[in-house]
């Protein structure tokens, strides 16, 4: 059983990880919007990017909000899952 201070420290680790990975996902959306404004992408391409962002952010949220925050923090300290963007990619048939 973990102590209150261990859980608090774990929540801080997971929150920092969540924020950092979320910022990476938002960069994809920002880049797509910039490319749309420059005429390099159409609205459907941007919509696809936003859809993938939504799926990726949801997977990240699920990882960061499990009941055992101490275990999740340990995974994060060991490097954590990588490439949340690809985890949100639509499944190819």
């Amino acid at each position: 059983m973990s102590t209150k201070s261990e859980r608090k420290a774990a929540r801080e680790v997971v929150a920092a990880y969540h924020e950092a990975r979320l910022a990476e996902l938002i960069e994809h959306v920002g880049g797509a919007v910039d490319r749309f404004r420059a005429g390099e992408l159409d609205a459907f391409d941007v919509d696809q990017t936003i859809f993938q962002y939504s799926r990726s952010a949801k997977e990240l949220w699920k990882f960061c909000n499990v009941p055992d925050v101490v275990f999740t923090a340990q995974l994060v300290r060991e490097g954590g899952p990588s490439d949340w963007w690809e985890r949100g990619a639509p499944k190819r048939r």
Side-chain angles (χ1 to χ4, degrees):
M1 181 57 94
S2 58
T3 66
K4 187 175 181 178
S5 63
E6 288 173 326
R7 288 189 304 276
K8 182 178 186 287
R11 279 191 300 277
E12 290 172 0
V13 167
V14 173
Y17 174 82
H18 192 175
E19 185 174 12
R21 300 299 78 78
L22 196 57
E24 292 171 357
L25 295 176
I26 290 169
E27 286 295 322
H28 286 280
V29 175
V33 170
D34 289 345
R35 292 178 62 203
F36 170 75
R37 289 179 177 151
E40 298 171 15
L41 295 178
D42 64 22
F44 293 107
D45 294 326
V46 177
D47 183 60
Q48 180 64 36
T49 300
I50 292 169
F51 178 70
Q52 186 167 344
Y53 163 81
S54 178
R55 290 173 53 116
S56 299
K58 187 180 295 182
E59 291 301 312
L60 175 61
W61 187 92
K62 288 189 300 189
F63 173 77
C64 292
N65 288 283
V66 295
D68 190 351
V69 69
V70 174
F71 177 73
T72 303
Q74 183 61 37
L75 290 176
V76 167
R77 288 183 189 108
E78 293 172 357
S82 61
D83 210 350
W84 289 101
W85 185 251
E86 285 306 311
R87 287 175 179 242
K91 306 297 181 233
R92 308 284 188 242
R93 294 182 189 204

